Amino acid sequence: MPQIIPIKDLKNTSAISDMCHRENEPIYITKNGYGDMVIMSMETYENTQQRLAMYRAIEISERQIESGNVKDAGEALKDMRIKYGI
């Protein structure tokens, strides 16, 4: 369940930091009863960014498949081994 707190509660930074790490999800900050900001731990932020990067890669792959820009699986694995030294 999302955590929603008023902006005045940001004065207690230690408690907010603990909440960010404990909940592992964004905390929504309101100002005058309306959404204003979102804060989260670095770990949650990095996980979110990795997930977005994966979704972007999948989207690009789907577009490549649709356009016929495909490669043989063996060839692709060979290229990856060379590129990443596997």
Side-chain angles (χ1 to χ4, degrees):
M1 183 160 176
Q3 295 289 319
I4 302 170
I5 61 172
I7 199 164
K8 68 179 179 66
D9 287 359
L10 289 178
K11 292 175 186 172
N12 191 348
T13 57
S14 183
I16 299 296
S17 176
D18 291 344
M19 187 186 306
C20 285
H21 293 282
R22 185 176 59 247
E23 299 298 328
N24 290 323
E25 63 180 30
I27 298 173
Y28 300 88
I29 310 299
T30 61
K31 182 177 181 182
N32 299 322
Y34 296 96
D36 187 50
M37 296 185 289
V38 176
I39 58 173
M40 63 183 81
S41 69
M42 287 299 295
E43 181 180 7
T44 300
Y45 175 78
E46 289 170 357
N47 289 339
T48 301
Q49 292 302 307
Q50 288 174 349
R51 195 174 311 118
L52 288 172
M54 179 186 66
Y55 292 149
R56 283 187 204 111
I58 291 170
E59 181 183 2
I60 290 168
S61 297
E62 288 175 343
R63 278 192 259 134
Q64 289 174 335
I65 291 168
E66 288 172 2
S67 70
N69 185 10
V70 295
K71 197 185 268 191
D72 175 72
E75 180 90 13
L77 288 172
K78 180 181 172 186
D79 291 347
M80 285 176 55
R81 287 187 183 108
I82 292 169
K83 183 176 181 177
Y84 297 107
I86 299 173

